[in-house]
Amino acid sequence: MTGEELLAAAEKEQAARRQAKYCVAVCAAAGCHSLGSTSIREIFQKAVNEAGLGEQILLYGTGCLGLCHAGPLVEIQRYREDSWERWLYHHVNEGMVAEIVRHHLGGDQPLAQFLYPLDDPFFRSQYKIVLENAGRINPERLEDYIGADGYSALWKAVSEMTPMDVVREVTQSGLRGRGGGGYPTGLKWSTVAKSKGSRKFVVCNADEGDPGAFMDRSILEGDPHRILEGMALAAYAIGAEQGYIYVRGEYPMAISRLKTAIRQAEKVQLLGNRILESAFNFRVDLRIGAGAFVCGEETALIGSIEGNRGTPRPRPPFPAEKGLWDMPTLINNVETFANVPAIVRNGGQWFSRIGTEKSKGTKVFALAGKIVHTGLIEVPMGISLRQVIFDIGGGIPDGKQFKAAQTGGPSGGCIPLPHLDLPIDYESLIKVGSMMGSGGLIVMDETSCMVDVARFFMQFCMDESCGKCVPCRAGTAQIYRILEKISSGTASLHDLELMEELCDLLKHTSLCGLGQTAPNPVVSTLRYFREEYLAHIEQKTCPAGVCRMGAPDAACGSAEPVQEKENCL
Amino acid sequence: MSVKTLMINGQMVSASEDQTLLDVLRENGIELPTLCHLDGLTPIGACRLCLVELAGSNKLHPACMTRITEGMEVTTHSERLVKYRRMILELLFAERNHFCSICVINGQCDLQQMGYDVGMDHVRFEYQCPAVEVDASHERFIMDHNRCVLCTRCVRVCHEMEGAHTRDVMGRGGSSRIITDLNQLWGKSGSCTGCGKCVQVCPTGALFEKGRSAAEVVKQRDFLVYIKTAREKHLWIQ
């Protein structure tokens, strides 16, 4: 494919969409898929054909529409007088399909009773860059992505920019790593670009493992070509010819869509040799993770791609200098790569106008836990946590009181009520003892016990510790033991003291980020909810009524089934 | 090879560029406890006992894997480092079943000696007492997982020195195990050459020879440096 052909294909796709009477996008993300959206799509197609509208209606599956709690979702679009009209149907079932086809598609009468209001704060307060193509494209069609200006950034880069221009554009945008650390992306790119090596590699970290997080999965499932384009731009900028996407095996749909996308792109020379008739070559291969959380840590991920046991190694040397097979390697998260095409297309300056002074752009969050609108959102940096939870998220269900929000998964911390007006950016979240993380946001209400929450995350870290370094391997197990004692009312204040000492040890002596940040949920719940810990220890009561008091060992003998019976010896 | 000058605990010290910080420290008589490190094997920085403070860095660095730089300022025995080392040892003693009085290597054990060195007179953590196996299927050696600290010296010596790669690590976290071949009995291993290098490098009583009393155990480890030097300098060619 040449650049001219790319532009022509884009024109053609856009014209086809504009000419269609209606575009019907059925959500095909994993959430809606599990609610039966795939069969809804088939039923839709059948009903459309039967109504004789097959020629005029463009029907396709699309990436996550965001409002996961109200699935299956169907978005209907129409181009009229230079703008797009949109309607969103929620909780779509078989019966509704027939009516939508008859009245809306056939008779131009939207069914107000089934519609979700698009002026709801859920939609109004969002700002979409990474997720801009949700609803607009079929992730399994390359032409759709091209129609949405896809690969135009790559064309721009290979035809009129030098590799350093691309690095400069990304640096100027102020984009920071979306995997959690927030390391300036442009700086990382220029380091790898300047590192010497006979080969260089680009790696996309898609080993998303935080409990309650599904941002990367949704991006991969909804817009796989965007990641490929972002990686190709990175490869062009740093001088790499080979890329790897390390995606976890638990994401079969993401894997299959990535495979499709790679095959499609290779077929038309958007990947492979002489991309868009330029001298730039770039291939991408998939590597499937086998279920270890620690492989999301970059040095463990490198080990895993090389075919070794996925355990971290001390840095320096950093992967930018010595990564895959000791060659300079650029590792970025899915969402980071997803931002790049838009940055190159619209310019770094455009991107740097969004967000706050130090945190630019937008952030995708996966809302989970005790919140009305469970789902996927993208908001500009600097928006307050209160807006995210109460405006976009719709607040706490069943009239309950908000207690805390956990960001950053098992490496992050909780943010209590007094800090709700905090702007969401990298620095502010660290200041209150949490972190941005990859974007999981778990909301807890008054019925959540903070000791129990800390225990859950510590158990996760204990199970996921690779076992290489002593503080993480043995320390997480000891902290978990103490938390178990506290939540069963059998701990003493001395145990609490010991636990705090252990948290300090892990933070400072663990080999990798997993161990260093494992104590964060404990430290932050202790910081804001110390009285809850004390109630468990001194009064032997759980204020939220979650923990069962009584020695865990003694409970084994009782007739009542105990939650963790298998742990008893 | 250029020479660098660095400051260790307030003392000026010179060292050559290719040395690790641990080499330099030992050369100057500063002893740090180490478990996973052994001269001749690739360092992995896993036991975290040799962590030191470097001026200008808010992180702690494992001396065994730290390259020296000009003007580096190192602190090896600050109050918190001493405390951390002691806690790490306590964690190790509480992790599996380390009872010196009935151990085949009592008196010759690196872990035990380190406990004495850092003044660890008791363990504040709850003993985890896991139920772990003993593999006595080999004709001459025994692997007792109760005493294993997962330092992986045996894994590395088997891979790097003997070239057999009989050993590896299985599982993760506290349930990690050193395995023989694909988790088979040692006595049934098809790749083990029976060289006994793993037994020699084991810091504890996890790997030992059958039929020897504690007093008779001598760990011979110098061979590693001989082999490594010979390989690096190609001594056999002359």
Side-chain angles (χ1 to χ4, degrees):
Chain A
M1 190 178 256
T2 62
E4 289 72 29
E5 282 166 356
L6 183 80
L7 295 179
E11 278 294 317
K12 189 177 151 221
E13 279 306 312
Q14 286 161 6
R17 269 178 69 80
R18 281 197 292 263
Q19 277 154 21
K21 185 176 179 195
Y22 285 104
C23 296
V24 180
V26 182
C27 183
C32 283
H33 172 77
S34 60
L35 289 165
S37 74
T38 309
S39 65
I40 292 285
R41 192 162 85 225
E42 284 160 13
I43 296 164
F44 237 115
Q45 188 68 60
K46 218 171 119 202
V48 165
N49 289 346
E50 278 168 9
L53 296 164
E55 299 284 294
Q56 307 157 38
I57 304 285
L58 214 58
L59 188 118
Y60 52 92
T62 194
C64 187
L65 293 172
L67 211 58
C68 301
H69 77 288
L73 298 166
V74 175
E75 189 178 307
I76 294 180
Q77 303 149 8
R78 178 170 62 175
Y79 189 76
R80 188 176 265 193
E81 289 156 11
D82 294 336
S83 68
W84 285 91
E85 285 178 275
R86 293 165 63 220
W87 300 268
L88 183 70
Y89 289 98
H90 61 106
H91 294 106
V92 177
N93 57 36
E94 213 172 312
M96 282 162 67
V97 171
E99 288 195 55
I100 294 170
V101 171
R102 180 148 27 99
H103 296 293
H104 192 165
L105 303 185
D108 291 334
Q109 295 292 324
L111 300 162
Q113 70 272 30
F114 300 141
L115 282 175
Y116 200 93
L118 286 172
D119 55 355
D120 190 273
F122 181 85
F123 298 103
R124 269 193 293 121
S125 312
Q126 292 198 49
Y127 190 109
K128 297 202 171 184
I129 296 175
V130 170
L131 301 174
E132 65 180 351
N133 287 339
R136 195 165 153 194
I137 66 162
N138 175 355
E140 295 185 307
R141 265 189 97 225
L142 169 65
E143 296 81 354
D144 280 19
Y145 181 66
I146 291 175
D149 289 332
Y151 290 107
S152 63
L154 185 60
W155 165 236
K156 183 177 169 189
V158 298
S159 62
E160 51 188 77
M161 293 167 86
T162 66
M164 272 331 276
D165 287 341
V166 179
V167 173
R168 213 169 294 129
E169 214 57 66
V170 172
T171 308
Q172 197 184 30
S173 74
L175 176 67
R176 294 170 64 175
R178 296 290 192 249
Y183 190 80
T185 307
L187 184 57
K188 200 189 247 184
W189 286 29
S190 77
T191 310
V192 187
K194 285 172 191 155
S195 292
K196 298 258 181 301
S198 55
R199 296 185 75 191
K200 290 181 188 179
F201 296 99
V202 173
V203 175
C204 173
N205 184 348
D207 192 57
E208 177 181 56
D210 291 1
F214 50 90
M215 305 74 52
D216 295 349
R217 194 197 69 206
S218 304
I219 298 168
L220 292 171
E221 286 172 359
D223 207 352
H225 282 288
R226 196 181 189 84
I227 308 302
L228 299 181
E229 189 181 0
M231 288 177 72
L233 286 164
Y236 180 73
I238 65 158
E241 296 204 338
Q242 175 68 50
Y244 291 99
I245 304 178
Y246 190 89
V247 55
R248 64 194 303 227
E250 289 90 332
Y251 288 173
M253 194 188 262
I255 293 168
S256 99
R257 289 196 182 151
L258 278 171
K259 278 185 182 161
T260 310
I262 292 173
R263 207 178 47 236
Q264 290 168 340
E266 279 174 348
K267 210 169 166 182
V268 294
Q269 250 180 301
L270 288 166
L271 283 180
N273 287 338
R274 294 183 42 76
I275 289 172
L276 290 166
E277 303 287 315
S278 71
F280 170 54
N281 309 325
F282 182 58
R283 266 164 298 276
V284 176
D285 284 309
L286 289 186
R287 287 290 177 273
I288 315 294
F293 177 69
V294 76
C295 286
E297 198 280 338
E298 56 181 12
T299 57
L301 186 146
I302 286 171
S304 186
I305 292 182
E306 288 174 350
N308 298 321
R309 187 176 151 84
T311 51
R313 60 158 176 79
R315 298 173 302 184
F318 285 90
E321 203 187 322
K322 276 189 170 188
L324 269 174
W325 297 289
D326 284 346
M327 296 296 164
T329 304
L330 173 79
I331 304 184
N332 275 139
N333 165 267
V334 172
E335 196 184 328
T336 314
F337 280 126
N339 273 299
V340 172
I343 290 171
V344 175
R345 205 186 318 133
N346 303 326
Q349 214 146 39
W350 160 80
F351 191 84
S352 69
R353 282 196 289 268
I354 309 158
T356 66
E357 196 198 332
K358 284 186 171 169
S359 305
K360 303 293 185 194
T362 61
K363 181 78 195 83
V364 181
F365 283 100
L367 301 182
K370 307 283 175 58
I371 189 157
V372 175
H373 298 157
T374 312
L376 190 75
I377 60 161
E378 183 172 355
V379 290
M381 292 276 191
I383 193 173
S384 78
L385 205 54
R386 187 185 296 278
Q387 271 173 289
V388 168
I389 294 170
F390 288 94
D391 293 350
I392 301 178
I396 316 295
D398 307 325
K400 296 269 189 348
Q401 286 296 311
F402 170 84
K403 189 172 192 174
Q406 174 90 14
T407 61
S411 309
C414 67
I415 301 164
L417 196 59
H419 292 304
L420 258 189
D421 289 310
L422 193 79
I424 294 182
D425 61 58
Y426 291 97
E427 279 72 24
S428 311
L429 288 172
I430 287 171
K431 219 189 288 169
V432 296
S434 184
M435 64 186 273
M436 178 75 83
S438 58
L441 187 73
I442 302 172
V443 180
M444 292 167 274
D445 69 7
E446 57 195 286
T447 62
S448 308
C449 166
M450 300 317 280
V451 179
D452 191 57
V453 168
R455 197 179 64 118
F456 168 80
F457 283 116
M458 191 49 68
Q459 183 173 21
F460 181 86
C461 291
M462 176 177 78
D463 290 342
E464 294 297 342
S465 163
C466 76
K468 180 172 175 176
C469 80
V470 184
C472 175
R473 182 182 77 221
T476 50
Q478 290 292 350
I479 297 177
Y480 178 71
R481 275 274 173 113
I482 296 174
L483 285 168
E484 244 185 351
K485 278 167 87 177
I486 295 174
S487 61
S488 62
T490 52
S492 63
L493 286 173
H494 173 71
D495 287 320
L496 188 65
E497 216 173 281
L498 203 56
M499 184 169 77
E500 289 185 282
E501 264 188 65
L502 276 168
C503 288
D504 176 63
L505 177 82
L506 259 67
K507 184 180 168 197
H508 292 106
T509 66
S510 294
L511 198 163
C512 80
L514 194 156
Q516 286 160 8
T517 58
N520 283 357
V522 179
V523 172
S524 77
T525 49
L526 265 171
R527 177 170 168 185
Y528 298 115
F529 299 96
R530 200 179 184 88
E531 73 284 1
E532 269 192 50
Y533 279 85
L534 294 175
H536 283 77
I537 295 167
E538 289 172 338
Q539 280 96 47
K540 311 217 178 299
T541 52
C542 174
V546 174
C547 303
R548 291 166 53 109
M549 293 295 141
D553 286 350
C556 280
S558 68
E560 235 178 306
V562 178
Q563 207 184 339
E564 283 163 348
K565 194 146 190 169
E566 68 271 21
N567 287 350
C568 302
L569 290 169
Chain B
M1 199 67 64
S2 68
V3 176
K4 312 267 177 190
T5 314
L6 47 158
M7 182 86 87
I8 299 174
N9 299 333
Q11 296 283 316
M12 297 280 271
V13 162
S14 70
S16 82
E17 198 181 30
D18 63 335
Q19 286 181 300
T20 66
L21 183 54
L22 187 69
D23 293 336
V24 180
L25 292 172
R26 294 212 160 142
E27 201 178 271
N28 288 283
I30 298 164
E31 272 310 313
L32 287 182
T34 52
L35 260 183
C36 62
H37 175 85
L38 197 59
D39 278 338
L41 297 180
T42 311
I44 54 168
C47 71
R48 317 306 283 171
L49 286 166
C50 69
L51 288 179
V52 294
E53 290 169 4
L54 300 182
S57 165
N58 52 6
K59 291 204 162 166
L60 302 177
H61 298 259
C64 64
M65 288 191 78
T66 303
R67 292 272 145 203
I68 54 165
T69 53
E70 182 63 40
M72 192 179 230
E73 283 180 47
V74 189
T75 308
T76 59
H77 284 80
S78 69
E79 200 182 321
R80 70 168 181 156
L81 286 174
V82 170
K83 181 182 145 197
Y84 288 156
R85 280 182 200 131
R86 197 193 130 111
M87 281 178 84
I88 290 170
L89 282 173
E90 283 181 70
L91 283 173
L92 277 172
F93 273 97
E95 190 183 21
R96 290 195 180 174
N97 306 305
H98 297 282
F99 301 105
C100 301
S101 58
I102 50 157
C103 181
V104 288
I105 199 179
N106 188 7
Q108 310 283 333
C109 172
D110 289 4
L111 183 67
Q112 185 184 33
Q113 189 57 47
M114 266 169 239
Y116 291 140
D117 290 347
V118 304
M120 192 199 82
D121 46 15
H122 68 290
V123 171
R124 291 172 298 162
F125 307 120
E126 206 174 303
Y127 283 96
Q128 297 188 38
C129 305
V132 286
E133 319 75 37
V134 177
D135 181 354
S137 61
H138 194 274
E139 203 186 321
R140 288 157 52 215
F141 311 118
I142 294 181
M143 167 111 214
D144 182 356
H145 292 281
N146 286 291
R147 315 285 196 226
C148 180
V149 290
L150 293 168
C151 67
T152 70
R153 281 185 189 181
C154 55
V155 176
R156 282 173 287 151
V157 80
C158 191
H159 174 73
E160 295 170 13
M161 293 295 159
E162 184 60 8
H165 203 124
T166 301
R167 302 210 174 280
D168 215 318
V169 187
M170 185 183 82
R172 58 181 182 228
S175 50
S176 299
R177 290 282 183 282
I178 301 294
I179 52 165
T180 308
D181 288 344
L182 295 169
N183 197 22
Q184 285 152 301
L185 286 176
W186 195 356
K188 298 247 170 86
S189 165
S191 65
C192 177
T193 60
C195 71
K197 288 190 176 73
C198 53
V199 177
Q200 298 301 327
V201 300
C202 179
T204 69
L207 285 164
F208 58 97
E209 274 183 78
K210 282 182 177 172
R212 285 213 185 183
S213 70
E216 293 170 321
V217 173
V218 182
K219 296 258 173 175
Q220 176 56 256
R221 288 165 189 162
D222 297 344
F223 72 93
L224 287 172
V225 180
Y226 299 150
I227 298 176
K228 193 178 175 220
T229 313
R231 279 185 189 169
E232 280 173 359
K233 305 212 160 127
H234 296 251
L235 293 182
W236 62 88
I237 294 171
Q238 297 150 19

